[in-house]
Amino acid sequence: MSGITADLSGKVALVTGGGRGIGRAIAVALAGCGARVAVASRTLKEIEETRQIIAEKGGECLAIPADVTRVEAIYELVEKAYSWHNRLDILVNCAGINIAKFAVDVTEEDWDRVLDTNLKGTFFCCQAAGKKMIAGGGGRIINISSQMAHVGYYKRAAYCSSKGGVAQLTKVLAVEWAPHNVNVNCVAPTFLETPLTAPMFEDKDFYNDVIRRIPLGKIGKPEDVVGAVIYLASDAANMVTGSSILVDGGWVAW
Ligand SMILES: NC(=O)c1ccc[n+]([C@@H]2O[C@H](COP(=O)([O-])OP(=O)(O)OC[C@H]3O[C@@H](n4cnc5c(N)ncnc54)[C@H](O)[C@@H]3O)[C@@H](O)[C@H]2O)c1
């Protein structure tokens, strides 16, 4: 479906934030490689649309509404995804938000919302799914961090902190779970065209600044990220854990 091939038939994947943007592209691509894909987001309408897109292409998809800021909801989500076919092989943590404000304007509520979604949510999804994978003999966890885990940028004190935390968390889990055959990695995209960024790019100064910093000279698309995810989910990445694959058009290479 994505033009990127790997044999993931028989595998069950769970994609958080799978209702739109990058998460939807990843869910569709995993299904195109034969995986059965559970998609989660807070919004049933979004994930129902993703389910239909996958079903129309002949894939198998389960839509599960869940809020990843709540640990109880995460455990229910993972239980539902696991119970679907009594296995869970791949977790993609893609649910994420940004509240763009200068550091002096960030409120406690802003900070908590961003950290609770991006870092706490990612950790407890990893924990709940990791327990299933350890018990099942192995698995793959792919955390969608950001180039902002590796560089700083205006109006992103909470966001960069959360994504830097995800990159570090990924290394810890890779070390702890390597003996259990659970590989944990990040994919770190630059700015991509999604519903999250569309309102930001209405500011032409911001758009021009972003383009200037990307050596390849263009904003990415969600489909630009799926190759790295499929690779990390596949047997080709058996020896890869604790790493971050930058899909950043060269931003971090400056
Ligand atoms: N778009 C970019 O430029 C870009 C760049 C680098 C990294 N990222 C990261 O990629 C991920 C996806 O970004 P996107 O641009 O596709 O965003 P998006 O806003 O288009 O989609 C985010 C998805 O996450 C879901 N979500 C948000 N909060 C949630 C919660 N509490 N519980 C469950 N689901 C929740 C939303 O419902 C939606 O389905 C995020 O983690 C983001 O930080 C995005």
Side-chain angles (χ1 to χ4, degrees):
M1 289 179 192
S2 66
I4 292 155
T5 55
D7 183 9
L8 301 179
S9 49
K11 310 270 188 200
V12 172
L14 169 60
V15 181
T16 73
R20 62 185 211 182
I22 300 170
R24 176 177 285 175
I26 290 169
V28 171
L30 288 167
C33 293
R36 295 163 289 189
V37 185
V39 288
S41 94
R42 284 172 306 188
T43 316
L44 179 61
K45 185 170 174 288
E46 283 184 350
I47 48 178
E48 191 46 39
E49 279 172 15
T50 302
R51 194 195 63 72
Q52 278 174 19
I53 291 167
I54 289 174
E56 277 163 19
K57 293 170 186 272
E60 209 183 321
C61 181
L62 177 68
I64 311 171
D67 179 350
V68 301
T69 64
R70 292 182 45 240
V71 176
E72 196 185 344
I74 288 172
Y75 269 80
E76 282 173 16
L77 163 65
V78 168
E79 200 55 54
K80 281 180 191 160
Y82 178 85
S83 304
W84 188 30
H85 290 290
N86 282 317
R87 61 187 298 155
L88 182 58
D89 305 281
I90 300 159
L91 167 67
V92 181
N93 280 303
C94 194
I97 62 166
N98 177 38
I99 299 172
K101 286 185 181 177
F102 286 113
V104 290
D105 297 323
V106 172
T107 65
E108 182 179 4
E109 192 196 345
D110 297 332
W111 181 271
D112 287 347
R113 276 183 59 203
V114 173
L115 271 287
D116 283 358
T117 309
N118 298 2
L119 184 54
K120 179 181 160 190
T122 295
F123 172 65
F124 282 102
C125 285
C126 288
Q127 186 190 64
K131 288 178 186 177
K132 297 291 187 194
M133 291 174 182
I134 289 167
R140 298 293 170 88
I141 297 178
I142 299 145
N143 294 324
I144 306 305
S145 59
S146 170
Q147 69 183 11
M148 297 301 170
H150 305 274
V151 294
Y153 192 69
Y154 314 98
K155 297 188 180 177
R156 276 157 183 78
Y159 187 79
C160 287
S161 301
S162 71
K163 295 296 187 175
V166 169
Q168 283 298 98
L169 167 65
T170 297
K171 292 179 193 174
V172 174
L173 299 182
V175 170
E176 286 196 13
W177 295 347
H180 302 288
N181 198 30
V182 178
N183 295 24
V184 190
N185 292 287
C186 283
V187 172
T190 187
F191 285 97
L192 309 174
E193 288 170 16
T194 70
L196 179 76
T197 56
M200 303 177 199
F201 288 133
E202 284 168 15
D203 176 347
K204 285 300 152 207
D205 289 340
F206 170 73
Y207 176 83
N208 290 335
D209 187 56
V210 166
I211 289 290
R212 186 179 65 76
R213 290 167 191 268
I214 299 176
L216 286 181
K218 59 188 174 189
I219 308 294
K221 295 187 168 33
E223 289 70 24
D224 292 326
V225 169
V226 304
V229 174
I230 297 297
Y231 164 66
L232 289 171
S234 76
D235 287 346
N238 280 347
M239 195 60 185
V240 181
T241 197
S243 70
S244 289
I245 299 182
L246 282 155
V247 182
D248 69 342
W251 182 308
V252 169
W254 284 108

